[in-house]
C-alpha cells in the first residue's frame, strides 16, 4: 500500500489536471530549487571532486588524531566518514558523550554511531561544505581532543 504520499498513480492523475493530490511541502520544494541551482552553477563534476577532496582530507586528519577511520579511502563514501574513537578516549567517553561535548563546547554537530556500541562517530561532508569548512570542523575536533587528553593526563 503506497499511502497518501507514495501513491504515484494518484500523483500522475492529479498532474493531468495541473494539481497535486495534497498540499506540497513548499519549503522542501524551495530548498530543492536552490540546491539544484547551486549544483548546476558549480557543475556536477566539480561537486563530486569537491566531495572527494574533502572526504580524503577529513579521513586523513582523523587518522592523524588517532581515530580509526572505517574503510579505505578508495572505496569508502565521499559524503560521510565513520571513525572509531581513539583508544585513549574510548575508555573514558562513549560516542554520544563525545558528540555532545563537541556540540556543547565547539558548537559542532556530528553524529554518534548507529549500532549502539558507543565507539564510533559519523561526520557528514556533503552539500555546500567547503574546504575551509572542513578545516574548521577538523580544528574543532582537534581542539576538543587536546582538552580531553590534557584533562586525563
Amino acid at each position: 500500500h503506497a499511502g497518501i504520499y507514495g501513491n504515484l498513480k494518484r500523483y500522475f492523475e492529479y498532474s493531468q489536471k495541473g494539481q497535486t493530490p495534497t498540499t506540497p511541502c513548499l519549503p522542501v520544494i524551495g530548498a530543492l530549487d536552490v540546491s539544484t541551482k547551486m549544483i548546476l552553477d558549480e557543475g556536477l563534476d566539480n561537486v563530486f571532486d569537491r566531495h572527494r577532496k574533502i572526504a580524503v582530507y577529513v579521513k586523513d586528519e582523523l587518522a592523524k588524531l588517532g581515530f580509526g577511520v572505517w574503510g579505505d579511502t578508495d572505496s569508502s563514501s565521499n559524503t560521510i566518514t565513520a571513525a572509531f574513537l581513539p583508544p585513549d578516549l574510548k575508555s573514558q567517553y562513549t560516542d554520544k558523550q563525545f558528540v555532545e561535548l563537541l556540540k556543547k563546547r565547539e558548537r559542532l554537530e556530528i553524529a554518534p554511531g548507529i549500532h549502539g556500541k558507543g565507539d564510533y562517530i559519523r561526520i557528514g561532508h556533503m552539500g555546500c561544505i567547503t574546504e575551509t569548512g572542513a578545516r574548521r570542523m577538523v580544528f574543532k575536533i582537534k581542539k576538543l581532543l587536546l582538552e580531553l587528553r590534557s584533562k586525563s593526563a
Side-chain angles (χ1 to χ4, degrees):
H1 185 263
I4 294 172
Y5 300 106
N7 188 331
L8 296 180
K9 182 180 177 196
R10 188 167 181 225
Y11 270 87
F12 179 75
E13 290 167 357
Y14 273 82
S15 75
Q16 300 302 304
K17 304 178 216 175
Q19 299 175 345
T20 57
T22 61
T23 303
C25 184
L26 297 178
V28 170
I29 292 171
L32 177 62
D33 184 48
V34 170
S35 60
T36 302
K37 285 178 184 169
M38 289 171 65
I39 290 169
L40 293 174
D41 287 348
E42 185 176 352
L44 200 51
D45 288 339
N46 293 331
V47 171
F48 292 151
D49 189 51
R50 177 171 48 83
H51 286 152
R52 184 192 54 74
K53 285 178 183 174
I54 290 172
V56 167
Y57 170 77
V58 169
K59 290 169 183 11
D60 287 350
E61 292 299 310
L62 288 178
K64 289 177 191 174
L65 294 172
F67 287 86
V69 177
W70 197 316
D72 62 72
T73 305
D74 292 334
S75 63
S76 60
S77 173
N78 287 335
T79 58
I80 189 168
T81 294
F84 292 100
L85 294 175
D88 59 319
L89 261 92
K90 197 186 303 188
S91 63
Q92 299 173 38
Y93 301 95
T94 66
D95 56 347
K96 288 180 183 172
Q97 290 170 323
F98 184 76
V99 166
E100 281 303 312
L101 286 170
L102 262 179
K103 184 177 179 180
K104 182 179 176 183
R105 296 184 187 171
E106 299 300 328
R107 299 176 66 191
L108 178 62
E109 214 46 71
I110 65 169
I114 57 174
H115 299 292
K117 294 182 182 177
D119 61 350
Y120 75 99
I121 58 171
R122 296 173 295 138
I123 300 173
H125 36 76
M126 65 181 287
C128 60
I129 189 169
T130 62
E131 290 180 33
T132 300
R135 283 192 295 274
R136 285 184 185 139
M137 176 181 61
V138 168
F139 174 79
K140 289 179 176 194
I141 292 170
K142 189 181 294 187
K143 184 178 168 193
L144 180 62
L145 280 177
L146 288 171
E147 180 184 327
L148 296 176
R149 285 175 171 156
S150 69
K151 256 171 74 172
S152 65

